């Protein structure tokens, strides 16, 4: 085993978390091909549940229907983004294995296991911070396109496209304020923001929420 695998100091810096119990981290990085008993499978199971909760809580804060939130969660916790997060942290280089190739699934599994280990060592707050920084920050950086979602929604209902009316309502030259109203499906909804696009985006969000509630 090389020096990189025996010293976790550099990895802990990448994780943004320092373990009190180093054995938890070692176990989270151990594939079943290296140890049938002390491997990452149980921590992977735990980490999967923690990630699901953190992502679910984040999406609940963003809002949307249950179906929409479920679809977005499925995309965020699928193999591809977890694998990407794992590679960004260089976790594959630290996997302790007994065979040359442990397969693609191990790349996402080890991320889940490390999350589980952080949860065991530091509690939910530490795990939540880890997931927010290493997974959500990379994949939920752009704001939702509420205007596009609203357009798709009304088109699906066979209704006319939304019509926006936006104007500056105050603020200063450096920090202007805007108000927008959108007319759609015979109703009017409003939004306010620090730019024209933000005001229209929030008006569209208000419309989506209002129309879906009936």
């Amino acid at each position: 085993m090389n020096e990189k695998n025996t010293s976790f100091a550099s990895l802990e810096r990448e994780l943004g978390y320092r373990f009190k119990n180093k054995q938890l981290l070692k176990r989270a990085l151990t594939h079943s091909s290296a140890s049938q008993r002390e491997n990452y499978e149980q921590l992977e199971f735990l980490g999967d549940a923690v990630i699901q909760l953190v992502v679910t809580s984040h999406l609940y804060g963003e809002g949307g229907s249950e179906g929409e939130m479920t679809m977005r969660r499925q995309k965020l916790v699928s193999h591809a983004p977890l694998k990407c997060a794992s590679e960004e942290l260089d976790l594959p280089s630290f996997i302790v294995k007994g065979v040359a190739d442990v397969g693609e699934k191990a790349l996402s599994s080890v991320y889940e296991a490390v999350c589980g280990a952080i949860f065991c060592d530091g509690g939910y707050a530490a795990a939540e911070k880890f997931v927010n920084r290493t997974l959500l920050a990379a994949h939920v950086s752009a704001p939702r396109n509420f205007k596009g979602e609203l357009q798709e929604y009304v088109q699906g209902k066979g209704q006319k496209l939304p019509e926006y009316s936006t104007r500056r309502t105050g603020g200063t030259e450096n920090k202007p304020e805007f108000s927008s109203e959108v007319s759609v499906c015979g109703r009017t909804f409003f939004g306010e923001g620090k730019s024209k696009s933000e005001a229209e985006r929030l008006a569209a969000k208000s419309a989506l929420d209002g129309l879906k509630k009936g």
Side-chain angles (χ1 to χ4, degrees):
M1 192 182 302
N2 61 34
E3 183 179 350
K4 189 173 186 180
N5 284 344
T6 58
S7 173
F8 296 135
S10 63
L11 176 57
E12 287 179 312
R13 286 194 293 271
E14 287 295 314
L15 298 178
Y17 181 79
R18 185 173 182 179
F19 279 82
K20 296 181 284 291
N21 182 356
K22 306 294 184 185
Q23 289 302 311
L24 278 170
L25 179 55
K26 181 179 179 181
R27 183 178 172 188
L29 298 168
T30 302
H31 189 260
S32 59
S33 62
S35 174
Q36 288 296 313
R37 297 186 62 179
E38 293 297 316
N39 59 57
Y40 62 53
E41 290 180 355
Q42 288 184 322
L43 287 172
E44 174 192 359
F45 174 78
L46 176 61
D48 173 64
V50 173
I51 293 167
Q52 291 270 352
L53 179 56
V54 173
V55 172
T56 299
S57 178
H58 175 87
L59 294 175
Y60 176 80
E62 280 194 337
S65 69
E66 181 182 1
E68 291 169 337
M69 291 189 290
T70 299
M71 289 180 62
R72 300 207 307 275
R73 182 177 62 189
Q74 287 173 343
K75 290 180 181 179
L76 284 167
V77 301
S78 65
H79 169 70
L82 297 183
K83 172 178 176 287
C84 181
S86 178
E87 291 174 332
E88 284 292 318
L89 294 167
D90 199 26
L91 292 181
S93 298
F94 289 88
I95 296 177
V96 179
K97 53 192 177 182
V99 294
D101 185 8
V102 292
E104 281 283 303
K105 185 180 183 300
L107 303 187
S108 57
S109 296
V110 73
Y111 177 85
E112 293 173 323
V114 167
C115 180
I118 291 174
F119 175 80
C120 288
D121 194 69
Y124 179 77
E128 180 182 35
K129 182 178 179 181
F130 170 72
V131 174
N132 283 336
R133 186 177 67 84
T134 62
L135 181 65
L136 288 175
H139 295 278
V140 196
S141 56
R144 281 177 63 189
N145 181 10
F146 290 115
K147 291 181 69 176
E149 290 182 32
L150 178 60
Q151 180 170 318
E152 290 180 8
Y153 179 82
V154 298
Q155 284 179 321
K157 298 288 185 180
Q159 299 289 325
K160 291 176 59 179
L161 293 179
E163 295 182 359
Y164 294 86
S165 176
T166 307
R167 59 189 178 87
R168 180 171 173 176
T169 55
T172 65
E173 195 64 35
N174 292 329
K175 295 182 179 180
E177 297 172 355
F178 293 85
S179 177
S180 179
E181 61 180 61
V182 55
S183 299
V184 58
C185 298
R187 300 170 64 181
T188 302
F189 301 90
F190 302 89
E192 295 181 342
K194 296 179 181 179
S195 68
K196 178 181 177 181
S197 60
E198 182 183 20
E200 291 181 351
R201 176 175 173 271
L202 294 178
K205 179 181 184 302
S206 177
L208 274 169
D209 292 342
L211 292 173
K212 289 177 181 179
K213 288 178 181 176

